[in-house]
Amino acid sequence: MRVAAPTLVALSVALAFGVVLLILAGAPPFEALWLLVLGSFGSASKMAATLLAWSPLLLASAGLVITFSAGLWNIGVEGQIVVGAIVATWVARSLPGPVWVILPATIIAGAIGGLIWALLAGVLKTYGGVHEIFGGLGLDFVAAGLVVYLVLGPWQRTGQASTSGTNIFREEAWMPEFETFGTAWPVIPVALGLVSVFAVWLLLRGTRFGLRLKAVGRNPQSSFLLGIPTNRYMLGAFAIGGALAGIAGTVQVTAFHHKLVPAISGGYGFLGILVVLLAGFSAVWIAPIALFFVAISVGSTQLDLRLGLDSAFGGVFQGIIVLFVMIGGAWSASRGSFSQAVREEP
Amino acid sequence: MKRPRRMFGLLALLIVLAMIAAACSDSSDDTTTTTGGDETATTSGGEETTTTAAMSGEGFTFGMILVGPENDHGWSQAHFEAGKYIEELTGATMISLDTVNPADRPETSVEQVVDDMIEQGASLIFATSDDMKDGIEAAAAAHPDVPMIWSSGDSAWAEGDGYRPDLPNLGNIMGKMIYGKMFAGCAAALTSETGKIAYLGPLINDETLRLVNSVYLGARYCWEGAGNDPAELGLEVNWIGFWFNIPGVTLDPTEVTNAFYDGGADVVISGIDTTEALVVAGQRAAAGEDVWAIPFDFVGGCSEAPEVCLGVPYFNWGPSYLGVVESILAGDYTTEFQWLGPDWSDINNPDTSMIGWVAGDALTDDASATVDTLITGLGDGSINLFVGPLTFQDGTPYLADGEVATDAQIWYTKQLLEGVEGASSAG
């Protein structure tokens, strides 16, 4: 809870700043903010859309908490989502059978894809001496190239190759939804997201692995001297983070697009990094912060549709929030309290 | 076609900073909102349009879904301006949403956007990208009473591969850019001193293949017409892999263009969204080289380097979109597949012509006159370039001697023509 106070102050400042921007853009600020709420929670279908976008962000963020705990900047998370989506797509396209076979198979496939991609960055880091930011970034590009190649080449849709993606999967490969209140609810994606957040929280808080991982993250040299196999722990963190990112990729292809598209990651990896930074590297705050972020994204469509505001406003608003929270964090840290609080939180 | 512009966002914090910068600068030039304003519609430049006010569309609302930014100086802006054109002429109201693609709006689907627009009163939807195929087909099925247009698609074409007779409310409109590309090929062949023309290609599909073939046919026609040996005409294609540069993923169009010029080509025709070809040509010409380029898509395409621009083929969606609105207002709308060519009596008439060609400053008067002759000939039917014998790259016959290509044979092009250098498939 110690993270909360400076974060709330920063949020309020960011909100005020957003209002000023809206006024400058010639939009009625309170109507605009209300449209954000209506656009993301105003109806059953809007809520379902918000929850569906929330799920991959939760998964990616949960994985990032693990890698951050190990002191790793897992910039490769985008590529891990993409490769997870690719492997899940491969299974969805080639595995016959009913939904109860394909559903677990695509989830496992996504996890394996993300895990392998993350371990590549991990091996480059631990055995190749390549910093994980550069290794991860490079692997992001490779994954982005791979997905474009697959969509336009071997997996091109019937008729003509198109950036609109592969053919739509047959319905057995769609993640099942639950129809009630007049809309289809993404129950499975949300469950995957929440369970992963809870599991990560539990892992870091209540297990030997988690404690040692945090020790590695804080001071790898000392940990190593004290007998912790730091490389193995770092690789373990990459594996877990990558697997969760890969499942986010599965959600993207089987629950949202129902096909593979070039921009399959949706940027949820990078957005996840922002979420985790805002959450002060703690699993507890991921869920509400991620929900807040996707609500802005989903709701901001209404600003464009109804007020004619620029489509970038939602992103601008998210950016402002991150900046103010980071500034707030740095300011608190300079007073000595904040960094301590961040590090203590699991 | 598909024009997502800002896909593949880069590092998160850079994006954040960039968007804040964008917000600060965009607030002023975004004052022309497209929603609201039932009463009067003004042009953004404050110019009075002399209109023969077609039919009153007061109270009629239509939705316009764009794949890229509405001010992209390319594909999406051309559609957005068609929507404003309808607003001006009929008083109808446009609801538009731009950058609808999985990279810019990862949480938004085309179906959701259509639902929102209909909820706001839209009784006609334009989905203006090939990218939106699955979404607009699903939306058309969900709202069978609302007419929709999927631009560049083939879902309403009874002879087409993608025909969807179960979607009677979904029509298609596309422009015959094959003609625009013939004009471009002709202008290039007449200007080239080395006889080597290059095409900066995006990705390989039926549409882009047919456009390259059109360039070749136009170029060969004018090259021969000038008394040259067709064997000495070279057209080289290099595909960068996408509609625009993605660092690390596609080839860099700037480098590809430079390689073309280094390899002896002196005219580069752009088939991609962005203007690298023209920019590079401008730089090299400033350094004393005799090189030229031809941009694409947008009527103002030459503006970045007019001194080396031979001209630009462009789309003009206004008249065809207006036709749809008017027929709905008149109550006699029928769903159809429209693949529209230029208005041959005046290809640059903004009220009638789907495809236009603006000759550039760098095109000589003589060459421009020859291009005009080609335009006249294509218009009156005395010239048809899609006539056999034509052979594909791998030697298989495309059109037998004297055979005239059908629309389907042109639309579904699977290979480059013999004589064109470059890959016909990604595999």
Side-chain angles (χ1 to χ4, degrees):
Chain A
M1 291 308 279
R2 275 163 293 181
V3 186
T7 303
L8 286 179
V9 172
L11 276 181
S12 316
V13 176
L15 197 67
F17 202 83
V19 168
V20 171
L21 265 189
L22 283 167
I23 293 170
L24 286 177
F30 296 104
E31 187 187 343
L33 292 177
W34 183 235
L35 278 175
L36 278 180
V37 177
L38 283 184
S40 47
F41 296 105
S43 69
S45 66
K46 297 250 185 324
M47 269 187 249
T50 305
L51 292 175
L52 183 54
W54 188 39
S55 313
L57 186 56
L58 275 182
L59 283 157
S61 305
L64 285 162
V65 169
I66 295 277
T67 46
F68 272 121
S69 296
L72 299 166
W73 279 79
N74 184 18
I75 299 289
V77 59
E78 282 280 310
Q80 292 147 27
I81 297 175
V82 170
V83 174
I86 288 173
V87 180
T89 299
W90 177 68
V91 169
R93 287 168 61 92
S94 50
L95 186 69
V99 68
W100 53 267
V101 171
I102 300 181
L103 175 66
T106 48
I107 292 172
I108 293 167
I112 292 173
L115 183 148
I116 290 172
W117 215 247
L119 280 182
L120 281 179
V123 169
L124 282 173
K125 156 106 181 165
T126 49
Y127 298 106
V130 179
H131 194 282
E132 74 274 10
I133 290 185
F134 301 112
L137 200 55
L139 287 166
D140 284 348
F141 285 134
V142 175
L146 189 61
V147 71
V148 170
Y149 165 75
L150 288 170
V151 166
L152 296 175
W155 290 349
Q156 63 175 254
R157 64 164 56 231
T158 320
Q160 71 169 27
S162 156
T163 50
S164 66
T166 62
N167 283 331
I168 298 242
F169 302 158
R170 63 201 179 88
E171 286 203 25
E172 288 77 15
W174 295 21
M175 213 172 257
E177 297 167 321
F178 292 86
E179 297 267 352
T180 182
F181 299 113
T183 196
W185 296 90
V187 173
I188 296 174
V190 169
L192 286 171
L194 289 177
V195 167
S196 67
V197 170
F198 182 69
V200 163
W201 177 80
L202 211 60
L203 186 71
L204 290 177
R205 189 169 190 97
T207 67
R208 211 168 91 106
F209 176 84
L211 288 174
R212 290 178 145 210
L213 196 65
K214 283 193 280 187
V216 171
R218 276 210 220 167
N219 193 333
Q221 279 81 15
S222 313
S223 308
F224 184 73
L225 291 176
L226 289 171
I228 300 177
T230 48
N231 279 0
R232 221 186 296 161
Y233 272 81
M234 283 186 186
L235 287 176
F238 269 119
I240 298 170
L244 292 176
I247 296 173
T250 299
V251 169
Q252 284 291 94
V253 288
T254 62
F256 185 62
H257 291 289
H258 304 134
K259 61 182 176 181
L260 184 65
V261 303
I264 192 65
S265 80
Y268 289 126
F270 289 143
L271 196 56
I273 293 175
L274 296 190
V275 167
V276 175
L277 288 176
L278 272 193
F281 308 103
S282 131
V284 177
W285 286 94
I286 287 177
I289 291 173
L291 186 63
F292 185 63
F293 265 53
V294 293
I296 291 173
S297 298
V298 174
S300 65
T301 303
Q302 300 303 315
L303 301 185
D304 205 332
L305 275 172
R306 303 199 181 241
L307 298 177
L309 277 181
D310 190 90
S311 52
F313 184 81
V316 172
F317 197 44
Q318 288 170 342
I320 291 170
I321 292 168
V322 174
L323 277 190
F324 276 99
V325 172
M326 302 310 276
I327 291 167
W331 182 69
S332 306
S334 70
R335 289 159 44 111
S337 61
F338 183 74
S339 63
Q340 199 59 29
V342 166
R343 292 302 186 181
E344 293 301 328
E345 203 74 30
Chain B
M1 295 220 187
K2 45 261 106 188
R3 311 280 142 138
R5 289 253 164 183
R6 293 176 298 175
M7 290 171 67
F8 304 102
L10 278 176
L11 285 168
L13 288 172
L14 287 177
I15 294 178
V16 169
L17 292 173
M19 285 197 281
I20 286 175
C24 297
S25 62
D26 271 9
S27 51
S28 58
D29 59 35
D30 246 323
T31 47
T32 47
T33 60
T34 55
T35 51
D38 286 4
E39 298 285 303
T40 50
T42 51
T43 59
S44 52
E47 226 173 299
E48 274 298 307
T49 348
T50 46
T51 68
T52 45
M55 191 173 297
S56 173
E58 299 284 335
F60 182 83
T61 302
F62 62 96
M64 178 75 68
I65 311 177
L66 307 170
V67 69
E70 65 194 32
N71 54 359
D72 68 354
H73 291 260
W75 176 258
S76 287
Q77 184 166 357
H79 289 278
F80 185 70
E81 286 181 359
K84 288 204 293 188
Y85 174 84
I86 295 171
E87 287 190 309
E88 282 158 23
L89 289 191
T90 67
T93 303
M94 170 166 65
I95 309 169
S96 76
L97 189 65
D98 67 352
T99 65
V100 178
N101 66 68
D104 288 312
R105 296 186 191 270
E107 66 295 319
T108 305
S109 68
V110 171
E111 293 110 292
Q112 290 164 5
V113 176
V114 172
D115 287 347
D116 268 338
M117 286 177 165
I118 291 174
E119 199 180 300
Q120 278 186 69
S123 30
L124 165 66
I125 304 287
F126 293 98
T128 61
S129 167
D130 174 45
D131 254 18
M132 299 171 186
K133 175 186 171 81
D134 300 311
I136 196 65
E137 288 184 349
H143 302 278
D145 301 331
V146 180
M148 302 185 192
I149 299 292
W150 169 35
S151 306
S152 82
D154 59 355
S155 59
W157 192 9
E159 293 90 58
D161 292 352
Y163 186 42
R164 290 287 301 267
D166 57 318
L167 300 175
N169 54 326
L170 182 61
N172 307 128
I173 295 178
M174 184 56 177
K176 285 193 169 167
M177 186 46 82
I178 50 170
Y179 293 117
K181 290 293 187 183
M182 287 176 194
F183 312 153
C186 175
L190 293 171
T191 307
S192 175
E193 289 161 1
T194 62
K196 291 184 76 174
I197 302 169
Y199 192 89
L200 182 64
L203 49 96
I204 302 176
N205 69 15
D206 297 10
E207 177 195 355
T208 59
L209 288 171
R210 74 173 176 252
L211 294 182
V212 176
N213 287 345
S214 305
V215 165
Y216 181 68
L217 292 173
R220 195 177 65 173
Y221 179 83
C222 292
W223 180 257
E224 284 184 286
N228 298 306
D229 176 2
E232 281 168 21
L233 173 70
L235 174 62
E236 181 191 356
V237 186
N238 200 347
W239 308 96
I240 66 163
F242 214 71
W243 289 105
F244 52 87
N245 183 31
I246 310 169
V249 175
T250 63
L251 301 180
D252 180 343
T254 300
E255 279 178 27
V256 173
T257 305
N258 273 312
F260 281 147
Y261 290 131
D262 290 340
D266 57 357
V267 183
V268 174
I269 300 175
S270 175
I272 67 171
D273 277 6
T274 42
T275 55
E276 285 87 350
L278 188 63
V279 171
V280 169
Q283 290 162 352
R284 294 182 76 120
E289 293 183 40
D290 288 329
V291 294
W292 299 271
I294 299 181
F296 187 30
D297 261 352
F298 180 59
V299 63
C302 280
S303 60
E304 284 193 49
E307 70 284 0
V308 292
C309 187
L310 298 180
V312 58
Y314 66 91
F315 288 101
N316 175 35
W317 302 90
S320 57
Y321 284 8
L322 177 66
V324 173
V325 170
E326 285 184 330
S327 65
I328 290 175
L329 290 173
D332 59 3
Y333 172 72
T334 50
T335 303
E336 55 186 331
F337 168 84
Q338 298 188 67
W339 193 18
L340 303 165
D343 172 3
W344 292 110
S345 64
D346 177 5
I347 65 167
N348 289 314
N349 185 332
D351 296 317
T352 55
S353 189
M354 176 81 203
I355 299 292
W357 162 259
V358 179
D361 291 354
L363 192 64
T364 63
D365 289 345
D366 280 354
S368 188
T370 308
V371 175
D372 287 341
T373 314
L374 172 66
I375 292 171
T376 308
L378 286 167
D380 64 23
S382 60
I383 301 173
N384 186 344
L385 299 183
F386 275 101
V387 177
L390 288 177
T391 309
F392 283 129
Q393 252 184 348
D394 68 354
T396 54
Y398 174 32
L399 297 172
D401 197 1
E403 183 185 1
V404 177
T406 63
D407 273 0
Q409 279 172 314
I410 299 174
W411 183 281
Y412 300 105
T413 299
K414 301 296 181 194
Q415 257 197 67
L416 295 174
L417 291 172
E418 193 177 61
V420 183
E421 234 181 285
S424 275
S425 71

